[in-house]
Amino acid sequence: MLAYDPDAVSKHTDPTNIDYIPTGDAQKDNHDICIRGFEVPSTREDQIKLLRGCLRQRSRIFQLRNALKIAEIAAKHQILDPGQAIPCILHHNNRATKSL
């Protein structure tokens, strides 16, 4: 995880310091993995698997966030919850047995 220590002597060489600036693609990838709290895998294939898993999780989070936003917008415009509506006499028996 990242740490902020303005008095640190090695803040430009310590990857856990917030002022650290990685150089090179491999160093940037490893730094990104460390910031997210993962241990850097030893092989390139394991790194690829880890990053793909993070991307899948990220896309799933975006999907769920969008679904919640849509549900919140729909709830604002909803006049009545269907469960609160007065049941019609034709469906009363079904609802009564369902609640029992």
Side-chain angles (χ1 to χ4, degrees):
M1 299 311 290
L2 286 178
Y4 178 67
D5 186 8
D7 298 329
V9 176
S10 62
K11 63 183 173 183
H12 294 293
T13 58
D14 182 16
T16 61
N17 195 301
I18 199 164
D19 290 332
Y20 174 74
I21 300 172
T23 57
D25 291 338
Q27 202 174 25
K28 287 179 183 177
D29 290 344
N30 290 344
H31 183 64
D32 189 43
I33 290 170
C34 288
I35 286 174
R36 297 177 190 278
F38 297 107
E39 300 224 359
V40 178
S42 57
T43 64
R44 191 73 176 159
E45 291 80 20
D46 291 339
Q47 287 179 350
I48 291 170
K49 286 180 188 176
L50 177 65
L51 291 174
R52 281 186 180 158
C54 289
L55 289 173
R56 281 192 206 108
Q57 188 177 24
R58 179 179 173 223
S59 65
R60 183 68 178 147
I61 289 171
F62 282 144
Q63 287 175 347
L64 294 174
R65 185 184 303 153
N66 288 338
L68 285 174
K69 285 181 183 178
I70 291 169
E72 287 174 359
I73 291 170
K76 287 180 186 176
H77 299 293
Q78 189 175 19
I79 297 172
L80 180 67
D81 182 25
Q84 296 174 343
I86 300 170
C88 90
I89 193 68
L90 298 174
H91 298 102
H92 178 321
N93 293 338
N94 292 339
R95 288 183 184 232
T97 56
K98 186 178 180 181
S99 64
L100 294 176

